[in-house]
Amino acid sequence: MSSMDFDLFVIGAGSGGVRAARMAAGFGARVAVAEDRYMGGTCVNVGCVPKKLYVYAAEYGKGFSDARGFGWEGEQPSFHWSTLRDNKKTEISRLNAIYRKLLSGVDATLIDGRARIVDAHTVAVGDRQYTSERILIATGGWPYIPDFPGSEYAVTSNEVFDLEEFPRRLVVVGGGYIAVEFAGIFNGLGSQVTQLYRGPLFLRGFDADIRAHAAREIAKSGVKLRFETNVTAIRPGAGGLQVELTDGSTLEADTVLYATGRKPHLAGLGLENVNVELNPDGTIAVDEHFSTSEAGIFALGDVTGGMELTPVALAEGMAFARRQFGQQDASPEYEFIPTAVFCQPNISTVGFTEEEARERYGDIVLYKSAFKPMKHTLSGRDERSFMKMIVVRETDQVVGVHMVGPDAGEIMQGIAIALKAGATKAVFDNTIGIHPTAAEEFVTMREPVPED
């Protein structure tokens, strides 16, 4: 038995940290977890969970209008922001309690407070110090607002869920998935939304066809998209916030949401006391087993700059615990990880983009399909779905699948299993579809896109 207080001290009770702690404790390790804010981290409190609840709320607004084409008549219900906001708070409190119970259930010691690293085997929380054989940093990321005149008037994704008043006019700044999702949420709830992005097209890193199709559909839904435009200043005015732009124009808004990126949450962590190297972007540098440059200190999840996805952090937490305490040669597999953007309509993707596939495999074959979802043949909504499949010509292996349309995330989970198993286009072609569904389109795309 080590003379130290713990075998593992985890800093951060988010998805990755809690999973690592629980599994390590399951292997018999003495574990402590320190958290200074909220149990469950970003995902549970200001990320995936509340965001998906708000997406559901936004979709109801469109659903009430769609219902008229199916014979439902009557007054459209009014939306009450405070009801959604307060019900969300109740659900998050319930999940916070569950995370506490998960740790207590494996006899992990939970310490409330911001942990600070004193040396490679010592952590301080408040006035008390704890020693540990291993220290795991899992503090995640934090929203970042650049410094410019009036930046103090902007809010981030941390605060936007709990605004005191519903913003009738919202300006969203950013082109990543968080910005796109919140633009869709507030548009669906009834806000007049303008989304600004400094580049020519949002969702950088996604397949080019997906980006272009999503932009068309999102614009049709009512979000005003202004690309190659940025904010120079925000000033309070008689009619609300005056948002001054790089093209010389001004927008008036009740709220300005900045979703321009996240940075590792390392403030006050005490890294200056140890030899933990950082990457140029400020994330913690780790090897394939999550070791930092300081022996005995590890890091995983968003703080290391990898894929900022909750399931990835969970997989990393499991692999870390299995290797360190379960004597298992475990490491996550990062290829063919599916992901979704919960905008309206949804985006989901797994595997390589067309550009990435050409670079890696050379000769590829493309299959594409665009159509009006069956529901909207009666609803009257002007929305089209888009699907794309990327196949390596030589091997017939499917290496990329992308979709914009209702339930894209739900559909893509099953597709991801097929790609992970190495499915070929012939396997897709020989699979009988479920009719009538949008998903069956993936097993009925027979004609490749003509080559240029």
Side-chain angles (χ1 to χ4, degrees):
M1 176 72 72
S2 169
S3 60
M4 295 190 181
D5 298 324
F6 299 103
D7 301 309
L8 174 65
F9 195 106
V10 180
I11 304 176
S15 301
V18 169
R19 180 60 60 89
R22 290 180 62 211
M23 292 205 64
F27 287 123
R30 298 167 302 151
V31 178
V33 180
E35 174 57 55
D36 68 327
R37 195 167 178 86
Y38 31 47
M39 299 299 298
T42 296
C43 178
V44 167
N45 295 275
V46 290
C48 332
V49 173
K51 177 184 66 183
K52 192 69 181 290
L53 293 175
Y54 281 34
V55 167
Y56 288 138
E59 289 175 343
Y60 274 113
K62 295 183 174 69
F64 292 134
S65 297
D66 291 344
R68 294 192 182 99
F70 293 88
W72 291 90
E73 297 180 2
E75 260 186 63
Q76 182 161 324
S78 58
F79 171 66
H80 295 272
W81 169 254
S82 59
T83 301
L84 172 62
R85 181 193 62 206
D86 296 345
N87 285 346
K88 181 272 301 180
K89 288 180 180 179
T90 300
E91 172 60 9
I92 299 310
S93 295
R94 185 185 73 85
L95 294 175
N96 293 154
I98 287 175
Y99 267 75
R100 282 186 174 274
K101 191 172 182 180
L102 287 173
L103 290 172
S104 64
V106 293
D107 293 327
T109 300
L110 180 59
I111 304 168
D112 293 308
R114 181 67 168 172
R116 180 173 55 86
I117 297 172
V118 177
D119 60 42
H121 295 285
T122 309
V123 177
V125 183
D127 297 329
R128 185 167 177 183
Q129 292 192 353
Y130 306 86
T131 57
S132 181
E133 289 283 352
R134 299 170 183 83
I135 297 170
L136 175 63
I137 302 170
T139 50
W142 202 252
Y144 167 73
I145 298 178
D147 187 28
F148 61 88
S151 59
E152 67 272 19
Y153 296 110
V155 301
T156 72
S157 56
N158 278 6
E159 302 89 40
V160 74
F161 291 106
D162 297 309
L163 296 174
E164 192 63 31
E165 300 291 336
F166 181 75
R168 295 295 170 187
R169 301 162 301 172
L170 175 70
V171 171
V172 179
V173 185
Y177 72 92
I178 294 175
V180 171
E181 287 172 335
F182 277 112
I185 286 170
F186 281 92
N187 173 62
L189 296 177
S191 185
Q192 297 175 13
V193 179
T194 301
Q195 183 177 354
L196 310 174
Y197 179 52
R198 63 184 180 180
L201 188 61
F202 56 27
L203 294 173
R204 185 164 52 90
F206 284 77
D207 187 87
D209 285 333
I210 293 294
R211 297 168 71 191
H213 186 88
R216 288 191 294 270
E217 296 303 315
I218 289 171
K220 285 194 297 187
S221 76
V223 177
K224 296 178 181 176
L225 299 175
R226 296 185 61 173
F227 297 134
E228 298 186 309
T229 306
N230 208 346
V231 175
T232 58
I234 302 174
R235 307 186 195 281
L241 296 174
Q242 307 298 310
V243 186
E244 299 176 8
L245 308 179
T246 48
D247 62 4
S249 64
T250 300
L251 291 173
E252 201 167 72
D254 300 306
T255 301
V256 179
L257 168 63
Y258 254 76
T260 51
R262 298 170 66 85
K263 291 194 172 184
H265 191 30
L266 301 177
L269 194 58
L271 291 185
E272 67 278 4
N273 299 324
V274 289
N275 181 35
V276 172
E277 293 183 6
L278 301 181
N279 295 311
D281 62 357
T283 55
I284 295 178
V286 295
D287 65 14
E288 67 274 19
H289 303 309
F290 314 109
S291 298
T292 70
S293 51
E294 177 74 74
I297 297 182
F298 304 81
L300 55 76
D302 292 358
V303 77
T304 63
M307 295 184 74
E308 296 181 355
L309 299 171
T310 294
V312 171
L314 292 171
E316 291 179 347
M318 287 190 288
F320 167 81
R322 285 169 174 162
R323 172 170 287 275
Q324 295 298 322
F325 301 101
Q327 288 74 53
Q328 300 175 26
D329 186 16
S331 59
E333 295 182 6
Y334 295 101
E335 208 164 64
F336 298 117
I337 293 176
T339 188
V341 183
F342 294 106
C343 49
Q344 288 90 45
N346 293 176
I347 299 170
S348 195
T349 180
V350 61
F352 298 92
T353 67
E354 179 181 339
E355 182 180 40
E356 291 168 341
R358 289 191 188 282
E359 183 177 341
R360 177 159 179 167
Y361 298 103
D363 194 6
I364 60 174
V365 184
L366 303 177
Y367 296 82
K368 300 179 185 180
S369 179
F371 56 92
K372 176 177 282 192
M374 183 178 180
K375 175 182 177 181
H376 299 319
T377 60
L378 293 189
S379 77
R381 195 195 305 185
D382 183 15
E383 180 180 293
R384 291 180 66 79
S385 293
F386 175 74
M387 296 178 175
K388 181 174 182 177
M389 183 178 290
I390 302 169
V391 180
V392 179
R393 188 182 298 277
E394 182 179 2
T395 63
D396 198 44
Q397 182 183 1
V398 180
V399 295
V401 177
H402 310 271
M403 176 179 176
V404 181
D407 301 315
E410 302 290 347
I411 291 170
M412 202 58 64
Q413 183 66 77
I415 300 291
I417 297 170
L419 266 62
K420 194 75 176 172
T424 62
K425 183 63 168 62
V427 170
F428 276 80
D429 292 344
N430 291 327
T431 300
I432 295 175
I434 302 171
H435 186 74
T437 65
E440 71 175 323
E441 192 74 10
F442 281 121
V443 299
T444 58
M445 289 193 286
R446 296 286 188 265
E447 296 300 321
V449 176
E451 297 183 31
D452 294 333

